[in-house]
Structure formats: C-alpha cells, structure tokens
Amino acid sequence: MLKVLIVDDHDVVSHGISRVLQDVKGVEVVAVVHSGEDAIIQSKALLPDIILMDVHMPGIGGLGATKEIKRILPKTKIIALSALDDNLYPVKLLEAGASGYLTKGTNTSELLEAIQMVAKGEHYISKTVAQKMALSKFSIDGQGSPLGQLSDRELQVAQMIVDCKKSNEIAEHLNVSPKTVSTYRTRIFTKLSIESDVELIHLAVRYNVLGMG
C-alpha cells in the first residue's frame, strides 16, 4: 500500500485529487494539508511514500518544503504540481530532489502513471513540460531565462509582484515584514537589471515563467 500525502492550498484541487486516489487500489491518502510547513510536520509524523506537492503556496512554498523533506526523509518521493508549464520551476524542483513534475491540468491517467513510476524509483515529467524543457535551448536569444538566477525566495516574491500583489500582501503571504519584501524587491531588480514592476512583468511574459499557480 502506497501512502500518499497531498499538499495544496486550494481545497478544490486537494480534495479533488484525494477523491480520485481514494478509488485507486494500492494507494492510501494519509492526509491532506495546505502549506509547506504543514507538509514537513505531517511528513515526519506519517512517513508517506509519495507526496503530491503544490509549488505555489504561502510561507516556504512547495520548493522550500521539498528541499527540507528530502533532507530529513531522503527516501520519500515528491511529485510537484503547478499550474505553470514553463521549464524554470521544473528544473528548480528536480534540483531540490523532486522525482516528478505535473501540471494541474493533467488527467487522471497521467497522475496515476506518474505515481506508479515514481514509486518504482523513476522520474516523471508532464509531457508538455518535458517538451518545453527539451526545446528551451532554442529560445529566441539562445539563453535560458534570466529569472533562473533568482533564489527560491526571490522567485516567490517575483511571482507575487507579477500577480500585482502589494508589498503588505506579499509580506503577509510569506510571513515576513514589509521591509524584508522591499529588500527582496531590490535584489530582484538588481539581479535582473530592471527598475520597475512593469519591466519584471515584461520579462515574465517574454520567458513564460511566472504566473498564477
């Protein structure tokens, strides 16, 4: 019996996945949680075989949670879930130790295939994401996305700036102070050689790497 932990801050998504897996023979959903922090706590308590991890969540997010869980429970397999099908986040999640990456638009058969493959110790990447990763070297300027140089937290902040979140909203979402958000914003602008939120949005659109998750 495969023990599966579902992590997603959207109830509709998390409970939808849970209902699907309840009917799958050999799979047991041990818990559904809504943040990266809770994912770490429940992983220690329940020792799941596989975690279905949302990428974009409040606090440390799916990326930070993946790194920490793989550090303390290296045998636990993690499949990342995101609304985005760019090639930046999959690379970061795989580098963090995830065994798979699926878009939230994936169908039930692909979800089950991913779980089965990952359970066997293999990797699984959503077909649309895999294609974009394979073709990324043919980008318009022959280089990868400049947003790839951002740290995990900077990428989270950039994500919310692109989503038109105000500094106080970002601070509340990430459980940090507005001053800290301002510091991250400055670092982002410096690394990307930009001077405004509008320029950041233009970069995000150009490289198709940030958006609602």
Side-chain angles (χ1 to χ4, degrees), residues 3 5 23 45 54 77 93 177 181 188 193:
K3 296 192 296 183
L5 172 65
D23 297 326
D54 184 20
K77 309 296 184 183
L93 265 297
S177 69
V181 172
I188 292 166
S193 299

Side-chain angles (χ1 to χ4, degrees), residues 9-185:
D9 64 334
H10 294 95
D11 286 336
V12 173
V13 175
S14 59
H15 290 298
I17 295 174
S18 180
R19 283 194 297 270
V20 168
L21 295 183
Q22 282 174 0
D23 297 326
V24 178
K25 194 173 182 179
V27 173
E28 177 190 7
V29 176
V30 293
V32 175
V33 297
H34 306 293
S35 71
E37 289 82 355
D38 285 342
I40 295 170
I41 293 171
Q42 291 303 316
S43 293
K44 292 178 182 177
L46 301 172
L47 302 177
D49 299 299
I50 294 177
I51 300 174
L52 299 177
M53 180 79 73
D54 184 20
V55 175
H56 304 292
M57 296 183 290
I60 64 172
L63 183 55
T66 294
K67 285 185 175 181
E68 179 61 15
I69 291 170
K70 291 301 291 185
R71 185 185 69 80
I72 59 178
L73 298 170
K75 292 184 178 180
T76 296
K77 309 296 184 183
I78 298 175
I79 300 175
L81 302 173
S82 176
L84 301 176
D85 63 357
D86 59 87
N87 58 64
L88 175 59
Y89 276 105
V91 169
K92 283 186 171 290
L93 265 297
L94 293 173
E95 288 177 345
S99 297
Y101 192 99
L102 295 173
T103 60
K104 290 184 178 180
T106 191
N107 56 42
T108 300
S109 61
E110 188 174 21
L111 173 62
L112 297 181
E113 182 182 1
I115 291 174
Q116 292 167 359
M117 288 185 65
V118 166
K120 294 176 182 177
E122 301 177 38
H123 284 74
Y124 189 95
I125 301 174
S126 179
K127 294 175 177 62
T128 55
V129 174
Q131 183 180 40
K132 288 197 173 186
M133 291 176 70
L135 295 175
S136 62
K137 62 181 178 180
F138 300 113
S139 60
I140 55 176
D141 58 2
Q143 299 177 351
S145 166
L147 290 130
Q149 66 186 300
L150 300 181
S151 70
D152 299 344
R153 185 63 100 180
E154 289 164 355
L155 196 59
Q156 279 186 296
V157 173
Q159 164 83 43
M160 284 179 277
I161 292 174
V162 170
D163 288 342
C164 299
K165 302 292 186 184
K166 296 179 180 179
S167 291
N168 61 333
E169 292 177 297
I170 297 174
E172 182 177 356
H173 189 86
L174 297 180
N175 299 319
V176 298
S177 69
K179 183 177 180 180
T180 298
V181 172
S182 178
T183 298
Y184 280 125
R185 185 190 297 267

